Amino acid sequence: ARQRAVYENWKSARFTDGLTITSILIPFLDVNRKIKYKSKRTKETDTYLINKVSFSFSDFTTTIEMRKYYPDYPELTT
Protein backbone atom coordinates (compact mmCIF):
# COMPACT_ATOMS: atom_id res chain seq x y z
CA ALA A 1 0.00 0.00 0.00
CA ARG A 2 2.84 2.37 0.82
CA GLN A 3 4.54 1.77 -2.54
CA ARG A 4 1.23 2.46 -4.32
CA ALA A 5 0.76 5.69 -2.35
CA VAL A 6 4.27 6.86 -3.26
CA TYR A 7 3.59 6.05 -6.92
CA GLU A 8 0.23 7.87 -6.98
CA ASN A 9 1.79 10.93 -5.34
CA TRP A 10 4.64 10.89 -7.86
CA LYS A 11 2.23 10.51 -10.79
CA SER A 12 -0.10 13.34 -9.75
CA ALA A 13 2.80 15.72 -9.11
CA ARG A 14 4.48 15.03 -12.46
CA PHE A 15 1.48 15.99 -14.58
CA THR A 16 1.08 19.43 -13.02
CA ASP A 17 4.64 20.67 -13.48
CA GLY A 18 4.56 22.98 -16.48
CA LEU A 19 4.73 26.53 -17.74
CA THR A 20 3.51 28.90 -20.44
CA ILE A 21 5.77 31.32 -22.28
CA THR A 22 5.35 33.87 -25.04
CA SER A 23 8.11 34.40 -27.58
CA ILE A 24 8.71 35.82 -31.02
CA LEU A 25 6.88 34.14 -33.88
CA ILE A 26 8.18 30.60 -34.52
CA PRO A 27 5.84 29.27 -37.25
CA PHE A 28 7.45 25.80 -37.55
CA LEU A 29 6.96 24.96 -33.85
CA ASP A 30 4.64 22.00 -33.20
CA VAL A 31 3.28 19.98 -30.27
CA ASN A 32 4.95 16.83 -28.86
CA ARG A 33 8.43 18.23 -29.35
CA LYS A 34 11.05 17.98 -26.66
CA ILE A 35 12.84 21.28 -26.00
CA LYS A 36 15.21 22.73 -23.43
CA TYR A 37 14.31 25.96 -21.64
CA LYS A 38 16.54 28.03 -19.36
CA SER A 39 14.75 30.09 -16.74
CA LYS A 40 15.92 33.68 -16.43
CA ARG A 41 14.88 33.73 -12.79
CA THR A 42 16.50 30.50 -11.53
CA LYS A 43 19.16 30.07 -14.26
CA GLU A 44 18.27 26.35 -14.45
CA THR A 45 17.90 24.51 -17.75
CA ASP A 46 15.15 21.86 -17.90
CA THR A 47 13.65 19.71 -20.63
CA TYR A 48 9.98 20.18 -21.56
CA LEU A 49 7.41 18.63 -23.90
CA ILE A 50 5.24 21.08 -25.84
CA ASN A 51 1.50 20.57 -25.23
CA LYS A 52 -0.07 23.51 -27.05
CA VAL A 53 1.13 26.18 -29.46
CA SER A 54 -0.80 29.35 -30.33
CA PHE A 55 0.25 31.86 -32.96
CA SER A 56 -0.57 35.55 -33.24
CA PHE A 57 0.48 36.63 -36.70
CA SER A 58 -0.69 40.20 -36.13
CA ASP A 59 1.61 40.58 -33.08
CA PHE A 60 4.32 38.22 -34.41
CA THR A 61 4.24 36.15 -31.19
CA THR A 62 3.98 32.49 -30.25
CA THR A 63 2.48 31.25 -26.97
CA ILE A 64 3.80 27.87 -25.86
CA GLU A 65 2.32 25.65 -23.15
CA MET A 66 4.65 22.90 -22.02
CA ARG A 67 5.12 20.26 -19.33
CA LYS A 68 8.36 19.25 -17.70
CA TYR A 69 9.90 16.11 -19.16
CA TYR A 70 10.91 13.30 -16.83
CA PRO A 71 12.67 10.01 -17.71
CA ASP A 72 10.50 6.95 -18.37
CA TYR A 73 11.56 4.92 -15.38
CA PRO A 74 12.32 7.09 -12.35
CA GLU A 75 13.69 5.68 -9.17
CA LEU A 76 10.93 5.66 -6.57
CA THR A 77 12.06 5.42 -2.97
CA THR A 78 9.91 3.65 -0.43
Side-chain angles (χ1 to χ4, degrees), residues 24-69:
I24 61 170
L25 183 64
I26 309 171
F28 56 85
L29 201 59
D30 200 6
V31 297
N32 295 328
R33 300 235 183 212
K34 190 166 68 167
I35 63 170
K36 290 190 182 230
Y37 174 74
K38 182 176 181 178
S39 172
K40 288 184 177 183
R41 186 172 26 134
T42 63
K43 307 290 190 241
E44 293 180 8
T45 302
D46 289 315
T47 304
Y48 290 88
L49 288 174
I50 299 175
N51 288 344
K52 183 179 176 184
V53 180
S54 303
F55 302 105
S56 174
F57 293 103
S58 61
D59 295 335
F60 295 102
T61 60
T62 302
T63 303
I64 307 163
E65 290 183 20
M66 49 193 170
R67 286 193 194 154
K68 194 166 182 180
Y69 174 78

